[in-house]
Structures are given as C-alpha cells and as structure tokens.
C-alpha cells in the first residue's frame, strides 16, 4: 500500500466512514453495535446474510460456548432476546479431568454463586439472530457477494481514505476498514500486518452426538496426551424431546484424526464413548464428522493505515477453552466504545489515538488468554511422570480452593 491516489468518491459505488469486512459472528456484532451510531457504516461479506433460518431438526456441528460478558453485550444490543427464543443450553456445571491420572476439577454455578457458567448455542442460531437485527437497521448498508481483492490508500478533500476493490470490480471507500474476515483474513494480509503463528499439529474433529444418559446441563472436558476432548451439552428442543445431545470438539494429532475419520460410525462411537470414560453412558449416534486444522495466530499490532483488526482476523485461539468468539466480542465492545467516543470528540474513526486506545484495551488480554491455552497444551501434552504427577496434584488441589475456582470461572466468563 505505498502509492497514493486521488479519488473522486462520486466515482466509487459507495463511501463510508467505517466499512466492516466480514459478516461472521464478530463483524455482525460490530455492525449491530455501530449501525445506529451516526457513522455511515457498511458491512461487506462474500456470502449473503441469512436472516431467515428455517428451524431444522438437525444440529449445527459448529457451536459456541458464550460467556456472561458476551451475553451482556448481546443483551445491550437487543439480540439476546432473539437468541433465547431458539435452542440454547445454559450450562450449570463443568467437569475437567486428566485421563492419565486421578486429578479432576469441577465447577458448579450454584457453589460459585453464578446463575450459570455459560451458554452453548449453535453458531447458525447466533448468526441468524445477528443478521435479523442487521436487516432492521436502516442506516446500515449491507454489501453481500462482495469479496475484497485489493485495498489502496486514497485522498479525497484532504482526507485519507482506503479504497476497497471487490472481485466483481465494485469499489468502495472508507475512512476506516475493520477486518472481521476471520483467521485467514485477506484484509490483514493486504494490510501487511505481521503475525505470530503456532501450528499445533492437531486437528479438531467436530460432531454432534446422542448419548444414552442425560447431560444435566454439565460440560465435560477430558485431557490426555493425545489432546483435549470436550462434550458441550445441547438443548434438545421440542422436536427432539427425550434425546440427550452434546456437541463434541476433539483435538487430536493428524494421524489419529485420519484414523478416526476413516472409522465406520459404530466403531467411532465406541471409541468416543471410551475416550470420555462413558461419563454419559454410550454414544448412541454421531452426526457426520467435520475436521479443522488447529493453529494459534496473533497479529503483532491491531491497526495500521486506516485498517483495524477484530476477532479471528486479530487472533485465533485453540478451541479447548471455547474462547474464540468470546474474545472477539470483547474486541467489539472495546472498539465500539472507542469509536463512539471518537465521534463525540469529533475525531476521525481511523485516528491513531482512537485505534491505539482500542489496541491497548485488548492486546494484553487476548495474549494472556492465548498464553494460558499454550501452557495447558504443553502441560497436558507432556507424558513425563513428573508432568503427569504435577497436573494431577494441581487439579486436585485447585478443586478444593473454592475462592480460586471462582476467580478462574470469572476469568473464563470474561467478568474480570
Ligand atoms: C472446531 C472449533 C470449535 C470452536 N468452538 C468455539 C467455542 O465453543 N466458543 C467460542 O467462543 N469459539 C469457538 N471457536 C472459534 C470461533 O468459531 C471463532 O472464533 C469465530 O467464528 C470467529 O468469528 P469471526 O467473525 O472473527 O470470523 P469468521 O466466523 O471466520 O467470519 C469471517 C467472515 O468473513 C467473510 N470473509 C472472509 N474473507 C472475506 C473476503 N475476502 N471478502 C469478504 N468477506 C470475507 C466470511 O464469509 C465470514 O462470513 C471454535 C473454532 C473451531 C475451529
């Protein structure tokens, strides 16, 4: 982005104060937060919005575990009300244990004085609620089928702008571009942001299962040196009364992933039941398996030259703690606050002061959470007897420290 050009904004298809690229969970939430702020806001995605979800009997294999902080933001934006009309499960307890020992830790919302520990929601239900809200905001311009291919700096009336060109040749200009286009962000790459990446050499296998015993709104996480395995409780809804469904995220080395993906479903179900120590009885049924490569990535800076990063475009994190979307929504809250304040102070949205404040608010917290995940991964990936003893001893000790458990839970719920 070296060359500068003069642009007559009348020659472009649209001009915005803020252009959000990516209408996924994070970009869509930001669009709702800024839609009525007084800025001219555009939301662009290569796919159309889906505000008309037909409620099916099946489950979305992608679910998110939303924290109390995420719920509070979605409540403020009046989106929560729509979400809770759909299927969702408030989970009240969580059990975490080490498959290679006796160490275990349990969290119970009642004991810790919280109404619940979080909410398990299918991604499509959350996205649908966000898109429903977006189409109601008249001031927000949605550009669907717009795939960003280049970004150049421009000047108009002595104002610095960014000109975005899409695959079909459409051009738009904006004072600030928000990259909310996910982990493989094109906008981040076009902006030449430096990143730090950790390849986990693990794949996540994701599916939905029906168990023979009820989950009682409890989430399960089992660690072993082959990788973490999580069972998140799902609301079976009216259509599937009597079924005990869970969403499974299983992180394993690629060879084992290939083996699991090649198994006939009855053998896969048996192996999965064994790996979760038959906590919920037998796995009676599993949906089609999906797999994703896992990597952790963090941008060294969150803004440069009229572009700012949010959500997975700024950081992708191992799914074991279910924090990806939660961190992204905390980015949204911080950025929306800074941009709204900038407007009151007559500052431009791309002002370095505004974006530095956003970066300061978020970069340390995101890095801290990624550091914790890295530590977990290393501790549980280590087979040495000392490491096994240490983690089992640690888990059992922490389990007896209610105050400390409360602090851990508050951190995971985004309350500190
Ligand atoms: C297996 C797995 C399990 C997970 N479980 C959890 C969990 O329990 N809890 C949790 O909080 N997180 C979880 N996550 C993480 C979570 O899914 C992500 O953090 C979240 O989806 C990121 O949202 P986003 O809006 O930043 O990006 P995305 O959801 O990737 O959205 C990006 C959007 O940008 C659009 N786009 C991309 N490129 C372009 C382009 N060039 N032009 C225009 N549009 C573009 C895409 O169409 C898409 O709509 C999990 C992740 C994985 C892999």
């Amino acid at each position: 982005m070296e060359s500068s050009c003069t642009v007559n904004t009348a020659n472009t298809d649209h001009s915005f104060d803020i252009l959000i690229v990516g209408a996924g969970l994070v970009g869509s939430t930001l669009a709702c937060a800024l839609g009525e702020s007084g800025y001219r806001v555009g939301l662009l995605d290569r796919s159309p919005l889906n505000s008309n979800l037909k409620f099916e009997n099946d489950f979305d294999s992608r679910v998110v575990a939303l924290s109390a902080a995420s719920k509070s933001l979605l409540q403020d934006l009046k989106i929560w009300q729509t979400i809770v009309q759909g299927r969702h499960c408030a989970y009240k307890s969580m059990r975490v244990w080490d498959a290679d020992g006796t160490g275990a830790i349990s969290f119970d919302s009642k004991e810790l004085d919280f109404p619940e520990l979080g909410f398990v929601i299918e991604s499509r239900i959350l996205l649908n609620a966000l898109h429903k809200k977006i189409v109601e905001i008249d001031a927000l311009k949605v550009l669907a089928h717009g795939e960003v291919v280049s970004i150049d700096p421009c000047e108009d009336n002595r104002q610095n702008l960014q000109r975005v060109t899409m695959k079909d040749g459409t051009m738009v200009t904006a004072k600030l571009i928000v990259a909310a286009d996910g982990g493989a962000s094109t906008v981040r790459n076009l902006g030449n942001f430096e990143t730090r990446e950790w390849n986990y050499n693990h794949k996540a296998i994701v599916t939905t299962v029906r168990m023979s015993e009820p989950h009682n709104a409890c989430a399960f996480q089992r660690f072993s040196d082959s990788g973490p395995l999580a069972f998140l409780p799902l609301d079976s809804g009216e259509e599937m009364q009597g079924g005990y469904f869970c969403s499974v995220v299983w992180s394993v080395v690629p060879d084992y992933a290939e083996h699991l993906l090649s198994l006939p479903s009855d053998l896969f179900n048996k192996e999965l039941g064994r790996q979760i120590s038959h906590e919920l009885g037998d796995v009676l049924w599993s949906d089609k398996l999906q797999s994703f490569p896992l990597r952790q990535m963090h941008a060294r800076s969150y803004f440069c030259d009229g572009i700012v990063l949010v959500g997975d475009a700024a950081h992708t994190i191992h799914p074991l703690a279910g924090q990806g979307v939660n961190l992204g929504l905390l980015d949204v809250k911080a950025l929306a606050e800074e941009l709204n304040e900038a407007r009151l102070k007559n500052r431009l949205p791309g002002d370095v002061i505004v974006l530095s404040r956003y970066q300061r608010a978020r970069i340390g917290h995101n890095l801290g959470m990624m550091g914790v995940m890295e530590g977990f991964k290393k501790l549980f990936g280590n087979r040495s007897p000392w490491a096994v003893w240490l983690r089992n001893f640690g888990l059992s000790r922490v389990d007896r420290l209610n105050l400390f458990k409360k602090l851990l839970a508050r951190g995971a719920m985004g309350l500190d």
Side-chain angles (χ1 to χ4, degrees):
M1 292 199 305
E2 303 96 26
S3 66
S4 163
C5 52
T6 300
V7 68
N8 175 359
T9 44
N11 291 341
T12 58
D13 298 280
H14 297 284
S15 78
F16 297 106
D17 294 317
I18 300 169
L19 176 69
I20 303 166
V21 180
L25 297 175
V26 174
S28 296
T29 310
L30 184 65
C32 294
L34 294 177
E36 284 163 340
S37 59
Y39 284 118
R40 282 170 302 149
V41 181
L43 174 65
L44 184 155
D45 202 291
R46 56 186 172 202
S47 310
L49 300 195
N50 180 5
S51 58
N52 224 342
L53 179 71
K54 296 269 178 295
F55 214 63
E56 309 279 354
N57 278 352
D58 61 335
F59 287 93
D60 187 357
S61 64
R62 289 292 292 264
V63 305
V64 288
L66 288 187
S67 66
S70 296
K71 174 189 170 185
S72 158
L73 173 65
L74 293 165
Q75 267 176 330
D76 291 349
L77 297 175
K78 310 216 164 12
I79 294 156
W80 188 252
Q81 296 75 339
T82 315
I83 294 169
V84 290
Q85 283 165 15
R87 275 194 307 233
H88 68 287
C89 180
Y91 63 100
K92 309 272 181 183
S93 56
M94 180 183 258
R95 199 172 126 65
V96 180
W97 72 97
D98 184 350
D100 297 332
T102 52
I105 181 167
S106 296
F107 297 89
D108 185 294
S109 58
K110 248 196 229 140
E111 272 174 26
L112 299 173
D113 271 339
F114 298 118
E116 64 274 311
L117 296 178
F119 296 85
V120 182
I121 298 168
E122 291 160 68
S123 294
R124 66 179 176 191
I125 290 182
L126 178 53
L127 200 57
N128 186 250
L130 289 162
H131 289 179
K132 260 194 176 134
K133 177 79 187 176
I134 285 169
V135 295
E136 286 168 8
I137 304 175
D138 291 334
L140 194 60
K141 175 89 193 158
V142 178
L143 304 165
H145 303 292
E147 180 152 0
V148 173
V149 289
S150 73
I151 300 175
D152 318 281
C154 301
E155 212 180 279
D156 183 50
N157 285 335
R158 298 210 183 134
Q159 272 194 41
N160 291 329
L161 300 176
Q162 301 294 325
R163 184 179 57 197
V164 174
T165 308
M166 291 173 235
K167 213 173 181 176
D168 65 359
T170 310
M171 283 185 207
V172 298
T173 57
K175 293 175 188 157
L176 175 67
I177 297 175
V178 183
D181 51 345
S185 171
T186 303
V187 175
R188 186 188 66 228
N189 293 336
L190 291 170
N192 291 323
F193 282 83
E194 272 187 48
T195 57
R196 200 176 150 217
E197 308 211 3
W198 303 257
N199 185 349
Y200 274 122
N201 199 25
H202 262 209
K203 274 189 166 173
I205 294 191
V206 179
T207 188
T208 308
V209 292
R210 186 156 75 87
M211 305 302 295
S212 63
E213 291 173 19
H215 51 58
N216 296 322
C218 181
F220 297 86
Q221 185 128 35
R222 182 237 52 178
F223 285 94
S224 81
D225 56 8
S226 68
L229 167 63
F231 271 55
L232 298 173
L234 291 172
D235 173 9
S236 30
E238 278 173 21
E239 304 87 350
M240 290 189 246
Q241 283 293 335
Y244 311 129
F245 290 90
C246 289
S247 171
V248 170
V249 183
W250 194 358
S251 160
V252 289
V253 290
D255 284 352
Y256 189 37
E258 290 316 314
H259 165 68
L260 292 171
L261 291 166
S262 72
L263 288 177
S265 64
D266 55 334
L267 292 185
F268 174 82
N269 295 349
K270 260 196 192 137
E271 177 66 358
L272 184 59
R274 192 178 69 78
Q275 291 281 350
I276 198 75
S277 314
H278 295 285
E279 279 285 330
L280 297 170
D282 293 327
V283 180
L284 300 178
W285 165 85
S286 54
D287 204 349
K288 193 168 176 296
L289 307 185
Q290 299 206 25
S291 78
F292 303 89
L294 291 179
R295 65 191 185 116
Q296 193 152 276
M297 180 283 302
H298 191 251
R300 289 188 191 269
S301 122
Y302 285 7
F303 71 93
C304 76
D305 303 333
I307 301 178
V308 64
L309 312 178
V310 290
D312 272 26
H315 42 76
T316 54
I317 185 168
H318 194 290
L320 79 89
Q323 287 295 334
V325 172
N326 293 309
L327 294 182
L329 295 189
L330 287 172
D331 294 350
V332 165
K333 186 166 187 279
L335 183 60
E337 276 170 11
E338 294 306 335
L339 289 171
N340 283 327
E341 199 178 319
R343 194 171 154 74
L344 296 177
K345 292 185 175 164
N346 280 327
R347 287 209 168 107
L348 290 171
D351 189 323
V352 171
I353 296 174
V354 177
L355 301 180
S356 308
R357 284 173 60 98
Y358 157 67
Q359 172 168 286
R360 259 202 311 279
R362 293 302 306 141
I363 205 163
H365 180 249
N366 288 331
L367 259 179
M369 189 58 88
M370 295 173 91
V372 171
M373 291 308 112
E374 189 63 13
F376 260 101
K377 164 93 185 20
K378 286 210 167 104
L379 183 62
F380 282 93
N382 194 328
R383 299 187 81 161
S384 87
W386 275 109
V388 174
W389 177 82
L390 184 70
R391 67 198 189 213
N392 278 283
F393 177 74
L395 280 176
S396 308
R397 275 301 286 254
V398 171
D399 196 38
R400 281 180 244 136
L401 305 174
N402 237 23
L403 197 63
F404 188 57
K405 282 207 296 190
K406 194 162 181 164
L407 286 176
L408 284 178
R410 284 186 67 82
M413 291 158 99
L415 296 176
D416 287 324

